[in-house]
Every structure is written in C-alpha cells, then in structure tokens.
Amino acid sequence: FFFYLRRPPISTVFRFMKVLLAKQWYQRRVRGIGVAIGDWVLDVTAVKHLFSPELADRCIEGQSTLNALMAAGRPAWTEFRNTLKKILSKDDPSLQNNSGLKASALIPATEVTMHLPAQIGDYTDFYSSRNHATNVGTMFRGKDNALQPNWLHLPVGYHGRASSVVLSGTPIRRPTGQILPSPTATAPVFGACKLMDYELEMGFFVGPGNNFGEPIKMENAADHIFGMVLMNDWSARDIQKWEYVPLGPFNAKNFGTTISPWIVTMDALAPFRLPLEPKVDPEPLPYLVEKDSYQFDIKLFTAIQGENMTKPEIVTSSNFKYMYWSPRQQLVHHSVTGCNMRPGDLLGSGTISGTEPHEFGCLLELCWKGTKEVKLGESGEIRKFLKDGDDVVMTGYAQGMGYRV
C-alpha cells in the first residue's frame, strides 16, 4: 500500500548508522521514527535536537515505534508537526544550510526498511459502510432484510487479532479450514479457502487511552485519534459462511490484516473534511451524536495484478466519504461500556463501498456472490475471487489545491 504524498506522514523505519569499531567503519541497522518527504525519509532521531528537550526525550530518543508519541496527546502532536514544518521550510537554516546534517538526516526511501508504525495491543474491525452492509445483506437475506435491526443504531464491530496485523508487502497464505463443499451441503469438509477476498478499508490508531471503566465522550473523541492508514482485512468467504452464525467471523478473518506503514495524522487530513451526507438517520442515542458530523474526502483504489499480467488493473474506485459511522462514533461506542483503549490500538473502518458497482469495496460485491465476472482491465483476465499469486494493490489520496496527501 502507499500514498502519493506531499504532506509528511510518519512511520518507523530501519536506517543504517555508520559506527567505528577497531578503526574500521561498519554499518549498523538502527530502528527509529521516519517522516516521508517525497522520495526521501527524514530520520527524526538525527534532528531530535531541533525539537524541545521534553518532546525529544519522551517521544523520539530511543523510540522504535510511535506509541510514545501517540500517548503524548494532541499538544505533543501539534508541537511535533509544527517543528517538522519549520525544519523542512526553505526559510529555516537549521537543516537547509547544514550539509552534514542533511546528509545524515535525509535518507533515500529505497535505503530504509519499513516496519509496523506501532506496537498494536488490540485490533477491532467495524462494519460501517451502509452501502456495503446493504449489498451483503441483500445477497444473503434479501432486499427487505438487508440491514439487521441494530445497524442504524450503533457501529457494528468485532474483535480481531492484533498478532496477525502485518505490514504492506507481507505475503498472505491462503487459509485452510472448514467449508461447505456445495450450496446444498449440511456438513463441512476441511480444505483450502476457495473464495479468497480483499476488503478495502482504512484504519485509525488510538492516541491517549482512557481509564478502565471511564468511557470516552464524544466531545473529547478527536483528541484520542492519532492518524489513519490504508488497510486490507483479508477475508475467506467460504470459511466465514460456515462459521459466522451466531457470533460472527472468526477464522475467516484472523489469518491476516495488512496495513500501510505510513500514518497520515488527523491534522494533515483536516482540510479534507466533508459534511456527512447523507445524515445519520434515525438520529442515534445521545452518546453517539456528533455536533459537527463529517467524513473525509479520501479517494481509494484497489487493483489486482495476476501472475501473468504486466501491471495492476483497478477494480475498485471508492471514497472514505461514503462511510455511515465516523471514526469518532466508532471509538466512543467501543469505549461506552468502560472498555479501556490504549495508545497504538488499531480500529478498522470496515469495507468502504459507494453506491455504484465500480465503487464496491470487495470482490464479494463486485462479483455479486459469484454470479458475475470481474474483468481485470484490458489484460483479458477475469476474477470472481482471488487466485494464488495475485497481488492486491491499494492506494489512496486526498486532493488539495496543487498537492496530494
């Protein structure tokens, strides 16, 4: 996964540090915080002296993940971002006029190794696109019963496996499990998943947590959300079909969830807020009401490249603005029982689908439960579900005046 970037996102990277041992120079891999600047990565540790001592000591020095910065809260995030903007300004001499510092702090992106940006303690996935939920419900229950009675009243979600959240580029193995051998079968067989699917999602990382037993209030929810990543919540549809009643997906989802390495902060996404359309209706219970309802205008794409194809072909073109429930509502509902959230927890949006077929966020919708073929551009290849060797490429951007995030 990747963003085409103009504003700097944050992640953790391995960089190479030259050290002198026994009068010989060796390269040592050092893990730390990196910020993407075009085709370069700024090694934040190398410029830590340009931040306030408190922020440098607490959130930068010796940090191999972003958890400390996430936990530090909005004042620290604002200071971190403002300092970065100052350092990278053409009018600031701290980096511009220091060739030695530039040489050590700016590293070609091709020379760094990306890592998960946070130590993820817990992972929850939601089901918050009305278009997606309606489509799936229509397939399995009919148009009149597409949405379950609770769907318009709360953000439906389930607990996933943090241990199998992996970085973009990590190979995903086709899972095995119990599946029904035919539509009329009443007993399962054991075998490899035949209906492997992607789910186009975004996820957000929790910043400061809440105390056990103390829910996060809507008026404070934005201060608990650090930033967003692209996400693919891989799905084994045939395993899920057999197992999901009555408690929802289990093995059909736990074998892999892929995220992008770069986090785009909520402050960087603020210019791309859009009024929530259509409005949430009926109005939810008071604890879920947002006085300033909005989503984000983030264009999202999924492409597939088969083993015999020369390039990926786009099959989904969607937008985050289609989400019915917002990240704030998801977080507030998750904690309303007093569930304690922690810095670095990951919450997934659920599959993001628009109203038109080309905006459907997974193959299950695109092939309408196997009744339609999905053409992969002009390659001559078709899909209903993923084949072995397929590469799934998810990209996204928010378009500003003369720049993209």
Side-chain angles (χ1 to χ4, degrees), residues 231-269:
M231 187 171 125
N232 181 357
D233 193 33
W234 303 90
S235 295
R237 300 298 185 189
D238 42 3
I239 294 175
Q240 182 175 351
K241 180 181 179 180
W242 171 242
E243 74 176 5
Y244 85 101
V245 177
L247 294 180
F250 182 52
N251 285 338
K253 295 279 192 174
N254 69 6
F255 61 93
T257 299
T258 303
I259 65 171
S260 54
W262 298 106
I263 299 176
V264 179
T265 65
M266 303 313 291
D267 284 344
L269 290 172

Side-chain angles (χ1 to χ4, degrees), residues 73-74 77 207-208 219-225:
R74 183 163 297 282
W77 306 342
E219 57 266 29
N220 302 320
D223 292 334
H224 292 266
I225 301 176

Side-chain angles (χ1 to χ4, degrees), residues 70-187:
M70 292 172 175
R74 183 163 297 282
W77 306 342
T78 301
E79 180 187 344
F80 187 92
R81 189 163 184 263
N82 287 341
T83 303
L84 279 176
K85 289 166 67 176
K86 179 177 181 294
I87 292 171
L88 296 170
S89 168
K90 62 182 177 60
D91 299 321
D92 186 88
S94 305
L95 186 62
Q96 296 291 336
N97 297 347
N98 189 330
S99 58
L101 183 59
K102 280 198 291 188
S104 62
L106 288 171
I107 307 165
T110 54
E111 295 181 12
V112 299
T113 302
M114 304 305 302
H115 288 266
L116 284 173
Q119 179 70 40
I120 302 170
D122 286 294
Y123 159 54
T124 301
D125 194 34
F126 285 90
Y127 187 54
S128 291
S129 163
R130 183 171 184 171
N131 297 318
H132 173 68
T134 299
N135 288 338
V136 174
T138 299
M139 289 180 214
F140 292 98
R141 293 186 298 275
K143 185 177 180 180
D144 293 338
N145 298 300
L147 293 180
Q148 297 284 10
N150 63 355
W151 201 95
L152 294 174
H153 296 274
L154 57 83
V156 173
Y158 72 95
H159 297 292
R161 284 290 301 180
S163 64
S164 55
V165 177
V166 297
L167 195 67
S168 174
T170 303
I172 299 294
R173 296 185 62 179
R174 184 178 295 271
T176 56
Q178 293 191 21
I179 58 176
L180 292 174
S182 71
T184 58
T186 57

Side-chain angles (χ1 to χ4, degrees), residues 366-381:
L366 289 168
C367 78
W368 206 257
K369 203 173 66 169
T371 62
K372 301 178 181 180
E373 293 181 339
V374 180
K375 293 183 179 180
L376 303 188
E378 301 301 319
S379 68
E381 296 209 21

Side-chain angles (χ1 to χ4, degrees), residues 210-215 335-340:
N210 56 302
N211 294 326
F212 179 70
E214 299 179 7
S335 73
V336 72
T337 58
C339 173
N340 52 316

Side-chain angles (χ1 to χ4, degrees), residues 188-380:
V189 297
F190 182 83
C193 165
K194 294 180 175 62
L195 308 181
M196 183 74 166
D197 203 353
Y198 67 82
E199 289 189 341
L200 174 60
E201 302 193 23
M202 293 192 72
F204 69 84
F205 279 97
V206 174
N210 56 302
N211 294 326
F212 179 70
E214 299 179 7
I216 295 172
K217 303 296 184 183
M218 183 61 71
E219 57 266 29
N220 302 320
D223 292 334
H224 292 266
I225 301 176
F226 178 72
M228 302 189 75
V229 291
L230 286 171
M231 187 171 125
N232 181 357
D233 193 33
W234 303 90
S235 295
R237 300 298 185 189
D238 42 3
I239 294 175
Q240 182 175 351
K241 180 181 179 180
W242 171 242
E243 74 176 5
Y244 85 101
V245 177
L247 294 180
F250 182 52
N251 285 338
K253 295 279 192 174
N254 69 6
F255 61 93
T257 299
T258 303
I259 65 171
S260 54
W262 298 106
I263 299 176
V264 179
T265 65
M266 303 313 291
D267 284 344
L269 290 172
F272 308 103
R273 292 178 181 175
L274 290 175
L276 191 61
E277 295 291 346
K279 299 287 186 182
V280 175
D281 183 28
E283 184 171 294
L285 293 175
Y287 77 95
L288 285 173
V289 172
E290 298 174 295
K291 293 182 179 179
D292 56 339
S293 299
Y294 58 82
Q295 284 292 9
F296 296 94
D297 184 11
I298 305 172
K299 295 175 174 61
L300 300 167
F301 306 91
T302 303
I304 297 174
Q305 181 173 355
E307 285 187 313
N308 298 320
M309 294 170 58
T310 58
K311 62 184 179 71
E313 295 288 352
I314 293 176
V315 291
T316 295
S317 301
S318 191
N319 196 303
F320 191 77
K321 68 182 181 181
Y322 295 132
M323 299 303 295
Y324 186 86
W325 297 104
S326 74
R328 291 183 299 174
Q329 289 172 317
Q330 292 170 337
L331 181 63
V332 166
H333 182 65
H334 200 322
S335 73
V336 72
T337 58
C339 173
N340 52 316
M341 314 300 293
R342 295 178 294 188
D345 284 354
L346 176 65
L347 277 66
S349 64
T351 305
I352 304 166
S353 294
T355 56
E356 300 300 321
H358 70 275
E359 298 173 323
F360 293 169
C362 63
L363 286 171
L364 177 67
E365 291 175 90
L366 289 168
C367 78
W368 206 257
K369 203 173 66 169
T371 62
K372 301 178 181 180
E373 293 181 339
V374 180
K375 293 183 179 180
L376 303 188
E378 301 301 319
S379 68

Side-chain angles (χ1 to χ4, degrees), residues 15 33 42-50 60 101 104-106:
R15 66 193 189 279
I33 298 173
L42 176 68
D43 175 7
V44 178
T45 304
V47 294
K48 66 180 184 296
H49 60 285
L50 301 178
I60 300 174
L101 183 59
S104 62
L106 288 171

